[in-house]
Amino acid sequence: MSSNRLRIIILWPTRRLNKLFYPFSKFKYMNKKIFILLLLSSVLLTTILFKDKTILGGGESGVPFYNITRMFKDSSSSWLDGLLGSYIPQSVANYPYLKIFSFLEVQGINGYVLQALFTFIALLISLVFFFLLTKEVFSNYPNSAYLFSSFFYLFNFYSAMNIWNRFLLNFLLFYSVLPMFLWLYMRFLRSRNFVYLGLFLMLSFIFSYAFSSPGHIMIFWFLLLFISLFELMKDKKKVAQVKNFVITLMLWLLVNFWWILQQAAYAISESFKSISTEYFSDVGNTIGFSFLSNVLGKFENLYLLKHGLFYNQEYDFILKWPLIYKKPLLLIVEWMASLYILYWAINNRKRLSVVFSLGLLLIGFILAKGNSPPLGEVFDFFFQRFSFVQFFRNPFEKLGIIPTMGFSLMIGPSLSDLAKKLSRQKPFLRVFIPLVSFTYIVVILGFPFWSGLVFTGSQAPLNDPEVGLRVEVPSYYKDADNWLSLEDKDTRFMTFPLGGEGIQYLWPKGYLGVEESAILFENANISSVLAFPYYDKIASNLQKLFTKNIDFYKIASLLNARYLLFRPDIEFKNSGMKDPAYIDNLFEERVSNEKANISFASQFGPLKFYKLDNKVTLPKIYAANNYVNGGSGADIEQFLLSGAEVGDVMYNSGWPVRNKLDANTSFYVSKNKAIFYLPGPQYPLFVDAPYIFPYVSHLPSSPIYSLLIIKENLQRNLYSDKESKLRWDLLTLGKRLIEVRNALSAGDEKGAIKSLQIYRKNLASVVSDIDLVSKSLKKPGEQVWNEKMLTEIFSSHLFLFNDFEKSTLNSDGSITDLKKQLLLSVSKLKILPYYYPIVSEDFPLESRVVYGVEIDSSGEYDVIFPKSIFFPEYFGINQRINIQIDDVVYSTQIGIDNNKVYFGKYYLSEGYHEISFNQFSKINLIDENLTSFELNSIHGEDSINIPIKTYDAYSQYEISFDYLIHYGNGPVLQVSLNNDKIIKKDGVETEQYYFEKYLPPDDYYFIKRPYSTVVNPDPSSDTMTLIFSAIPWNNCTKIFYKNPKKCSDVSISKTYERPTKVEITNLQIHPRFSRELFVLRVDAVDEKVSPKISFTKKSHTHYKVEVRDSEKPFVLVFSELFDKGWKLYLNGDSKRYPENNHFLANSYANGWLIENEGDFNLELKFVPDKFKEMGLYLSFFVLGLIFLITLLLSVNVFLSKRFNKGL
Amino acid sequence: MKKIRSYRYPIFIFSLFVLTVLNIIKIVARSRFAVNIFPNLHYWLWTIILIEAVFVFNIKIKNVLKIALALTVVGGALSIFRIVIAENVLKFGFILWIVGYLFNLIEIVRKNEIN
């Protein structure tokens, strides 16, 4: 075949296509020398960062490069088998990147080498492609201009803090690959060469990890749209440009369909709905958004691309390096650079490339400043209406990338123009300007990078120059992991001490960051409290249940955990965790007690594994024996209290299947929904404070009353956030009642009725708003948002209603109705009890506690407290007390058994009930000789430490005392716990007390005053000490108010010192009754015969179950986190088992009521996982097609060149 | 467009009037109502006034941008010395940047002055 014929055959199809696109051959690659320079810079930076041959980690990123294979396994499906199982579709997008790195890890390449490789690739891509992008936007400039832009994109204040210091790998990768995608897209639009689009699409598949956050996707497409608009302005073929944008979008969606489909399926799933309602609320997000916009959206920082706090607050960084950039001289240089770019932009304002870059800068500023003025209302409008905008709750953090890009694009060309202009006047400036630019960008801004400071933090050990983000995981973790995998790779384990998301390990180089057991161990484990549905409630209660209950094995079996791990290698004080020594002793105790069913298994370094006896463990899938109805909010603690045994199951009463289960239920146990303290003797208490009842100037019958209401509404609308609006509504609600009172006293009944009508109307909306705001703004320990304030407000309302009830207004009973409506609403919100406290001579209103309980099955219930939280030492037992159930008073004898304290048995019908009694036998928990003392401070501090006897961290304590300041300063009360954080203050390590209160002296009249407070201690603490202290009086700073620094000189300050004398008397500390009360009913039911169950695990999203000898309906429990995506199939049938039979079992797991009899097989599948397969097939097909076309086009170009040369 | 342009004087005068009234209430009467409404409204009013001013007084876009730059220079200098009003100056400067940028963009598109 002749060469000409061959040429025609090969080139014909591609030439047809090629006509559509601009010739690829026109593209000129970057100068080799430049590439080598960028390559060397990347190598040098990588070498500096990894010179110690350790992986980098800590903070939010953890240590992903410790075990990439483990991460890869997690990304292979949207269902993660870690923790108790969890549905995380975002992880699927990590698949290609993790596949490559896990392949390399399996080949034996060390984690730090892989991390260095990752960092090197990110650096090189970022440098090379920002160079090319600048060249594409601003053509005809010398290479040095593009180089400066490229280095500035790497070394700027935004990237130093938000990208490299935070070290979140997906964000880092996104920042690095963004210029590459923008350049390829720009080239595609300009040259219409499909090869660029092909590369764009193929690379988006490989770097899909960069798009694992919806925020990144939005920024990405915003930038592509912005480019398209500018190209549209320039190009005459406008339709073609629009078409190109649409084609790119469609193909990108198809290529990334495999993970986009997962995320889309998740967004419409029940799991997402429950997460978004429980963990993210519009109110909380709006408040966070406003706060962050206010703090980080200031122009004095934005113009310099600086994070408002990081570069301005005094954190404990090495050399306090971020503050170096706050020195006046450097600030002047930073401002000069910004201002010069703006000046240059004005002079070149007709150039589209400048308009494009300046547009990025200005729009970026508008977006990155969030809702702060000016014109922040636009962002606020979208933020409050469109939930997807809420991904930008911290606007500067994510959207700051846009102005950074605009700034970086302009800096190189603008400096180049400056050099050119000045060198015309003075030739030596031709070298001087680039030299200054180099010094500023590469030396000054690059300093934290070259020095490695950017990889350090502000807290120990991250602020140790030798440590920083370097992490060295002790080898005993690998040994422990290997041992456990060999023992049983499918079982879970629990770790104690158990803490929150953050942890400080005592590893060779230290570690401060997220808890890392998910990476450290192959086996699923519960080692920290994380905000996942169902999981967080279980994990947050686990340590309490472990420390308080000898039969904890029942809980462990429910959670399908066979092992317990003791980890002492933590800094427990700074991690907010329990003292490991306490846990160690507890394990020793449990091992020696047969009832605990636990034994020592193995030790690796300081890590100790304990194993539960086989007889008390359950397989992952089992058929339940007895059923426990745990009420509407069942938690695993109720399972222990009910008396149920290993193999039983607990269910929530809110599921459709409940009626069928109730017929065979043995135990009914419910926990109180609300608790109210009525200190007495007055109830309701009237508080006449201006925040409850504002001043009323006009009666409702006044002619201008309607105008006042309009003014109130106008004023309400001036508040932008829901919380402030609610405060305003509460204020106006109280105002209405005062209007009623004033109208009644003026004999204006009509006016009173008018105000009451408005009150009735507004009450409903206020109640629903309180409910809404409480979901996100309720503080820990509070039942409702601003509990104390609301109690005062509605108690005062109730007081007034009692008054109105006696008036003529109530002749038709309307006031009584409205009062009932108020009581019903506020009791539902857990603000006040519904029933009035009954008071008699032998049942006075004194420290009364009221428990609100919801009963969903009528019957005789025992009122009980778990013995573990109701100490006989505190309250005493075997006594008769009065107890009020709703509006009836009973007299009952308190009884006790192994694990419960009984407060009598009562018939409780279905619905809401209140159980109340006076707290009794309150012992003082301090030594008698310490109840009164004096503090005499003549020179220096005088203090007294008072330890608390019989301390229980899960109780609340009322502290009260009287104090008399004879002369000088007031006393300070501090509550010190054994796990108080240690902080560095002026270079000295000091304890950060759990509670601190200074009681200042009066201005004029010194008398004995009472003080009381309630302390709710950290549940992880083991001891509590009260510290009273006083310091000498000193008026030095008042005298030298113009120069108070003088007083820091002790010799001067001392001369103004006068002694302090304070007398403390009647000091008392009493434990409060437990906040948790339970009601329990045990019914006899027919004995159940459970079928035989065996199962095989095909994958962690697919199980096959064999059921034999099923005689009656039974409950099948699958101990993996509850999710509606788990579906059950009968006998290989494609039809799913009825959805109504699926319910939440054991507070977290999946349960199905199986109504089939005999022998049969079941299949359990996590259905959303199949979307990944479907998506992958489609994406691979499209990707293959794109690859072929791209290859064909490239071959065409190559051959054209060769043939052309030949010709 | 023509119709809108014919309203430029009334809009300009009305915006200026509202701004002046609010300022007087804020300064003289110190009413909480005015203080509350002011931060939300005055930047918008300023933006409208500045856009109108460009029309009414035929201000050159280059000059708008130059004033914006001048305000940014002053704001930047004040911020170096940590003077509180720096941020407000920068905010007004920013409004001018936006106004200037938009007019510049419109002019480029209208006159097809693309380089």
Side-chain angles (χ1 to χ4, degrees), chain A residues 990-1051:
Chain A
T990 51
E991 189 178 334
Q992 195 177 27
Y993 292 113
Y994 188 74
F995 175 88
E996 193 163 326
K997 176 81 187 169
Y998 171 60
L999 302 165
D1002 293 289
D1003 281 346
Y1004 170 67
Y1005 198 52
F1006 284 27
I1007 55 163
K1008 190 179 264 191
R1009 291 192 176 276
Y1011 174 76
S1012 68
T1013 188
V1014 175
V1015 174
N1016 198 5
D1018 178 0
S1020 301
S1021 57
D1022 301 322
T1023 61
M1024 186 203 265
T1025 308
L1026 299 186
I1027 303 168
F1028 283 88
S1029 60
I1031 53 167
W1033 182 86
N1034 196 315
N1035 65 345
C1036 177
T1037 47
K1038 273 187 188 169
I1039 289 170
F1040 295 105
Y1041 67 95
K1042 280 186 180 168
N1043 187 13
K1045 275 185 185 170
K1046 253 188 176 179
C1047 298
S1048 52
D1049 184 344
V1050 182
S1051 59

Side-chain angles (χ1 to χ4, degrees), chain A residues 943-958:
Chain A
S943 68
I944 180 162
N945 290 11
I946 303 167
I948 305 302
K949 295 188 291 185
T950 336
Y951 173 68
D952 170 54
Y954 298 98
S955 296
Q956 282 189 334
Y957 295 90
E958 287 171 5

